[in-house]
Amino acid sequence: MYQERDDMWEFMYETTHILEYNLPGLELNRITPIPFNGSTDIHYGMAALNDGDHTYIYAQVDIRNDLDPITEVLVARTVAGDPYNNWHYYNGSGWSADPSDAVKLEGLSSVPVSSQFNVFRLRDKYVLLTQKKTFNTGEIYTFIADSPTGPWRNKQLIFKTYEQDIPHLFTYNAMAHPQFEKEGMILISYNVNTEVFAEQFSDVSTYRPRFFWVDIDKIMNEK
């Protein structure tokens, strides 16, 4: 990301790199640009899923990025364990080596997908979770599908944040953490920030994540 002008909202996407670290010391081993080098409105790497023999890399696409945003989601995949090469792009019926063949995933048009979202396995389905990108609605949605490519269905409003009702605060980029599960619930987080930078020093809670639990049945039970 880079800042185009001297304004807190004027940050722009340039490209995505993969950072590889050695374990357990977390020494940085290498930085590699992703093989996609198309339009800067297409942001591959905003979500990823390891599933069987493949890693799926999702893109959030800004069709219109304003107070009433319109977005799409694309997906590429590569052999599990090798995210650096041989990406293939979902074209609606199969996989193509040509990134221009990628088509939007169906079923998501009613909610503009945020710049960060996630896709994960839950029970025998795939779940896509996103916070609505429309500024400060605070609405967090899930969709389910039978495959990593969709089509997505069963839109559920699982939570609405409240911090945006406090002066200067806004919320964004909800994420699921399905590795944390208890009593039929999984853990969800979202970010909080303030438009007044000095408030972060007087009240650190203005720049900290929030967490909540959501019933799995609320996500999975179809209407």
Side-chain angles (χ1 to χ4, degrees):
M1 307 296 292
Y2 67 94
Q3 192 167 17
E4 187 176 52
R5 289 185 291 272
D6 189 18
D7 182 279
M8 71 174 294
W9 302 113
E10 294 300 329
F11 46 85
M12 306 294 291
Y13 173 88
E14 183 174 356
T15 188
T16 297
H17 287 71
I18 301 168
L19 278 66
E20 180 183 288
Y21 292 86
N22 293 321
L23 295 175
L26 291 181
E27 300 92 356
L28 180 60
N29 185 35
R30 63 170 168 164
I31 301 175
T32 309
I34 63 173
F36 176 81
N37 57 4
S39 168
T40 56
D41 291 326
I42 301 174
H43 312 149
Y44 276 100
M46 302 301 101
L49 167 70
N50 286 320
D51 188 50
D53 295 331
H54 294 96
T55 297
Y56 295 83
I57 305 102
Y58 293 84
Q60 184 262 6
V61 186
D62 286 324
I63 304 300
R64 187 175 72 203
N65 190 16
D66 56 19
L67 293 177
D68 187 22
I70 298 174
T71 69
E72 294 177 354
V73 175
L74 311 178
V75 64
R77 76 177 186 183
T78 186
V79 176
D82 183 15
Y84 306 103
N85 303 291
N86 300 319
W87 284 25
H88 289 79
Y89 302 83
Y90 183 64
N91 63 13
S93 60
W95 300 90
S96 169
D98 185 349
S100 66
D101 289 338
V103 300
K104 69 177 182 180
L105 303 189
E106 296 297 328
L108 302 172
S109 61
S110 62
V111 176
V113 174
S114 66
S115 301
Q116 173 182 286
F117 62 99
N118 60 337
V119 180
F120 55 96
R121 289 290 300 267
L122 190 61
R123 295 180 178 166
D124 61 343
K125 303 294 183 184
Y126 296 86
V127 177
L128 186 150
L129 180 143
T130 182
Q131 186 162 341
K132 189 176 183 179
K133 191 177 182 182
T134 307
F135 182 68
N136 252 2
T137 65
E139 297 173 359
I140 300 173
Y141 289 90
T142 57
F143 300 81
I144 63 173
D146 298 318
S147 79
T149 59
W152 300 93
R153 63 182 189 275
N154 198 44
K155 180 177 77 172
Q156 298 283 359
L157 175 61
I158 63 165
F159 191 78
K160 184 171 182 178
T161 66
Y162 57 87
E163 288 83 0
Q164 70 274 5
D165 298 326
I166 301 171
H168 307 151
L169 297 188
F170 56 95
T171 69
Y172 57 104
N173 283 359
M175 290 284 289
H177 308 276
Q179 68 270 35
F180 297 106
E181 182 177 339
K182 71 172 185 181
E183 300 172 357
M185 300 181 291
I186 60 170
L187 190 64
I188 312 292
S189 68
Y190 59 93
N191 297 323
V192 175
N193 205 340
T194 174
E195 297 178 7
V196 181
F197 183 69
E199 290 182 347
Q200 297 176 7
F201 297 92
S202 60
D203 181 1
V204 295
S205 70
T206 61
Y207 190 44
R208 287 202 171 165
R210 306 291 195 268
F211 295 86
F212 65 93
W213 295 94
V214 63
D215 287 331
I216 293 175
D217 287 343
K218 190 171 185 177
I219 297 171
M220 305 304 294
N221 287 348
E222 302 200 41
K223 300 174 182 177

